[in-house]
């Protein structure tokens, strides 16, 4: 019954997230077909249709990213290219630097040196880190936000923590955090696929992801095994 409920939420979420932009596109098409617009107005409506189409594409791409690792890469007989946590953190920070959401957020790093490569590629590591860091940035206060990124070797492989000083995760959504379309963000500001995609990528590489109560706000922790090609 829980699985059926999850499928129901996924279907309802997908219908909502795709239905809205499709309705907008249909409206723009009706306006264009009615005629009477000058060139600038026509271009404006076409650009709006393009943005809504890109939104649908992004939602479907995220959903595919979520579904693709459902059968583990190890079970499928393929292994992702080993990735470096240190390099991925540096890349994620460089990509986040220019973003408005990060302007007033302090990022503190505590990444152990010489960490071994892990079983997830650097590209996918960056994708996971971006999702978790941007979620943290959305949760913290605009002028006093702080995000701590920690990474260290453990008996399980490499453990990475992303902790913020926001209000934490509401108890009513904690059990569904990693299900598709579970989100506390306003409509249009998030699809609720980010954490589901993260879980799929990490579990597909033999890792795990969990939520913990942080010292102040929320703490997301993921672990990955050390790549077999490294010591």
């Amino acid at each position: 019954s829980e699985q059926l409920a999850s499928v129901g939420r996924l279907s309802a979420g997908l219908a909502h997230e795709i239905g809205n932009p499709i309705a907008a596109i249909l409206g723009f098409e009706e306006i264009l077909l009615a005629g009477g617009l000058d060139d600038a107005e026509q271009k404006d409506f076409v650009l709006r249709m393009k943005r809504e189409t890109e939104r649908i594409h992004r939602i479907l791409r995220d959903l595919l990213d979520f579904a693709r690792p459902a059968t583990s890469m190890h079970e499928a007989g393929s292994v992702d290219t080993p990735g470096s946590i240190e390099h991925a953190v540096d890349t994620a920070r460089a990509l986040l630097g220019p973003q408005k959401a990060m302007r007033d957020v302090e990022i503190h790093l505590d990444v152990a040196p010489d960490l071994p490569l892990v079983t997830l590629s650097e590209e996918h590591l960056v994708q996971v880190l971006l999702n978790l860091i941007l979620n943290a940035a959305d949760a913290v206060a605009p002028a006093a936000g702080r995000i701590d990124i920690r990474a260290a070797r453990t008996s399980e492989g490499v453990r990475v923590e992303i902790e913020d000083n926001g209000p934490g995760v509401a108890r009513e959504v904690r059990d569904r955090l990693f299900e598709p379309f579970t989100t506390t963000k306003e409509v249009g500001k998030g699809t609720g696929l980010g954490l589901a995609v993260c879980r799929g990528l990490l579990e597909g590489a033999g890792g795990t992801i969990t939520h913990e109560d942080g010292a102040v706000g929320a703490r997301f922790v993921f672990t990955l095994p050390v790549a077999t090609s490294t010591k």
Side-chain angles (χ1 to χ4, degrees), residues 66-227:
F66 160 72
R68 183 174 54 194
T71 56
S72 169
M73 289 183 292
H74 299 293
E75 293 175 6
S78 63
V79 179
D80 209 356
T81 306
S84 164
I85 296 288
E86 295 167 270
H87 292 169
V89 169
D90 289 340
T91 300
R93 288 197 68 191
L95 291 171
L96 290 167
Q99 298 204 24
K100 184 178 178 181
M102 304 301 297
R103 194 166 297 165
D104 299 317
V105 178
E106 293 183 15
I107 294 183
H108 295 258
L109 297 181
D110 182 11
V111 178
D114 302 321
L115 288 172
L117 299 182
V118 294
T119 54
L120 192 63
S121 71
E122 192 166 318
E123 177 188 357
H124 287 151
L125 282 170
V126 170
Q127 185 177 354
V128 170
L129 288 166
L130 288 176
N131 264 308
L132 296 177
I133 295 170
L134 285 171
N135 280 351
D138 285 342
V140 300
R146 174 182 172 124
I147 300 172
D148 289 275
I149 303 173
R150 310 181 191 97
R153 180 78 183 262
T154 70
S155 59
E156 298 174 338
V158 177
R159 172 186 169 103
V160 180
E161 301 179 4
I162 311 292
E163 183 173 353
D164 63 64
N165 65 343
V169 177
R171 292 192 177 277
E172 58 267 24
V173 298
R174 290 186 182 184
D175 292 340
R176 297 185 287 109
L177 263 179
F178 299 101
E179 291 183 12
F181 301 110
T182 297
T183 181
T184 57
K185 297 179 183 179
E186 298 175 19
V187 174
K189 291 191 176 181
T191 63
L193 282 170
L195 289 177
V197 170
C198 289
R199 185 184 68 176
L201 291 171
L202 291 163
E203 290 184 352
T208 62
I209 182 169
T210 58
H211 163 263
E212 299 177 355
D213 288 326
V216 179
R219 179 192 301 137
F220 285 87
V221 178
F222 68 85
T223 61
L224 282 162
V226 172

